[in-house]
Amino acid sequence: MNTMLLNGISFTPTESPKQKPTGETKLGFGSIFTDHMFIMNYDEGEGWHNARIVPYGPFQLDPSAMCLHYGQEVFEGLKAYRGVDGVIRLFRPDENMKRLNLSNDRLCIPAVDEAFCVEAIKELVRIEKDWIPSSPDTSLYIRPFIFAVDPHVGVHPAKHLIYAVILSPVGAYYPEGLNPVKIFVENEYVRAVKGGMGFTKTAGNYAASLKAQEEAEKIGYTQVLWLDGVERKYIEEVGTMNVFFVLGDEVVTPALQGSILGGITRKSVIELLKAQGYKVTERPLLLQEVLDAAANGLLTEAFGSGTAAVISPIGELKNGTADSIVINNGRIGALSQRLYDQLTGIQWGKLPDSFGWTVRVD
Ligand SMILES: *Cc1c(COP(=O)(O)O)cnc(C)c1O
């Protein structure tokens, strides 16, 4: 094997490149992976070290590896976009690395060097650039993650961990255009509580969400609307997205208070709307307030925000046995459409990036 050094990262190219997918319309999400991955190790006394890009392949783990038993794991999710101008861009990767360290801190995982991790992602994306699809609205999903590997069945913070980054070409999220989704208000299961891990991207939060998601799907809903874990009165998130409601002239999103994930799309939506003179408020939001607003004709739009879907308009809300609330006649609202166009416009290089959010991979 022919190993070389790229900006302090050793690179071992694969000897058997995979066949790249044809038909970009059928890419789906998260099932195809590129030829290489980034890895580094943490060992107590040495810190994070041995940064390398190697052929994509299985990890060898001891059956007692701590991540398999106690879930000491964190992850991130971002994308590389091939612009209409041919330029490859990342969207606010520094924010992902900042959030990774926030998750790390909560999970007793040693902090990573954020700037170095952004450079490592750029290096990996550069190597895999031919894997970035070019059809409209396709992208390369980037999944950084860290897991504990100490061979020890015991509950304590790990002294040995692996950080890895894998890449997956993904298809258009809305092949048929932006379609409003039906959301089920979850009154039984909760996702997270204050003092817990809701503000982090850690595996356990998603394990906690599976049952509610499965039950909602069974009765015809796409996602659930999570309520707070104590009073079950306040709105938190929708599925794995943050959520916004347009109530009269106010755009409201639940304030980050520990149990909600601080989305980078959420932050970007708030910044975009503020710059355009909208009244955007981050505050506690009672489900009852939204139900009342709907009854009074003040609820004009609702949408989720996240890296995968960007903006996901909500067309219907179902709360318990009450009649469904239909929002904007089940059609996408003007603001949702506009935010989607503006964010994707910046990401695919169709609009000027006046906020300096994108990072080029040349
Ligand atoms: C990742 C995620 C989001 C959205 O975050 P983005 O940074 O916008 O992708 C929202 N909620 C949950 C629970 C998430 O895991």
Side-chain angles (χ1 to χ4, degrees), residues 1-5 10-15 53:
M1 276 201 249
N2 206 350
T3 299
M4 54 195 109
L5 206 62
S10 89
F11 172 41
T12 309
T14 180
E15 286 175 348
I53 293 172

Side-chain angles (χ1 to χ4, degrees), residues 99 191 201 206 237 240-242 261 263-266 305-307:
R99 186 170 66 193
R191 175 187 168 272
K201 271 185 134 60
Y206 304 84
E237 303 196 50
T240 55
M241 291 186 287
N242 295 113
L261 197 285
I264 296 160
T265 320
R266 173 186 183 278
S305 72
T307 296

Side-chain angles (χ1 to χ4, degrees), residues 296-316:
N296 299 332
L298 287 172
L299 171 64
T300 52
E301 287 188 45
F303 58 90
S305 72
T307 296
V310 191
I311 298 293
S312 181
I314 298 172
E316 193 181 316

Side-chain angles (χ1 to χ4, degrees), residues 53-72:
I53 293 172
V54 295
Y56 184 94
F59 293 114
Q60 196 164 21
L61 289 182
D62 195 281
S64 68
M66 283 179 25
C67 61
L68 301 176
H69 303 271
Y70 306 114
Q72 196 186 6

